[in-house]
Amino acid sequence: MPSLATLQAFAATVESNDHVGAILKFYAPDARTQENDGAPRVGRDALAERERAVLASVAGVKTTRLGPLLLDGDYSAICWRFEFTGKDGSVRTMEEVAWQTWRGEQLIEERFFYDPHQMKR
């Protein structure tokens, strides 16, 4: 079970837009993520590399936490808003809920729930 301080530090790292740093610092080596009903991605290094690629595809991202951090034992949930600025200057906004499972102070599983149509607007 993570401490509230760990969850707060994780959220602060993501909100500072250090998404890759959050993965490297807080995810377990065998962590996995899954978007909606997509196939899981496994392994901290692979997850960090994927995040680097996503960030390289845009000019910038602004991350905002919406609402409180929810923590219950080994589980937490965070509601996020991401504003992606494309290299052409266009802005797309996406809101999602991240459902997380922790093993001690390390994130072992994170599932993202969002409406994929948000990114098409």
Side-chain angles (χ1 to χ4, degrees):
M1 175 173 80
S3 67
L4 181 56
T6 295
L7 185 58
Q8 289 169 331
F10 170 79
T13 303
V14 174
E15 282 185 288
S16 76
N17 293 313
D18 185 6
H19 299 178
V20 174
I23 292 168
L24 295 173
K25 183 174 182 179
F26 294 97
Y27 284 48
D30 59 338
R32 58 186 265 158
T33 66
Q34 183 176 356
E35 297 191 33
N36 289 327
D37 61 351
R41 288 187 291 275
V42 181
R44 178 177 56 211
D45 294 340
L47 299 174
E49 188 57 38
R50 164 87 169 137
E51 194 67 19
R52 282 187 195 96
V54 168
L55 295 172
S57 74
V58 297
V61 62
K62 177 183 176 191
T63 308
T64 306
R65 184 169 48 91
L66 306 175
L69 299 171
L70 303 177
L71 177 61
D72 185 12
D74 290 335
Y75 302 99
S76 60
I78 305 173
C79 187
W80 298 108
R81 176 184 293 131
F82 301 98
E83 294 176 30
F84 296 94
T85 302
K87 293 184 177 180
D88 63 357
S90 64
V91 177
R92 295 175 296 159
T93 302
M94 181 178 89
E95 292 184 6
E96 73 177 18
V97 172
W99 176 254
Q100 303 166 324
T101 304
W102 295 77
R103 179 175 56 220
E105 296 290 316
Q106 292 188 313
L107 228 163
I108 59 166
E109 185 172 288
E110 191 167 33
R111 188 156 179 195
F112 306 106
F113 296 94
Y114 59 91
D115 177 359
H117 290 97
Q118 295 176 88
M119 296 300 286
K120 296 177 183 175
R121 295 182 220 164

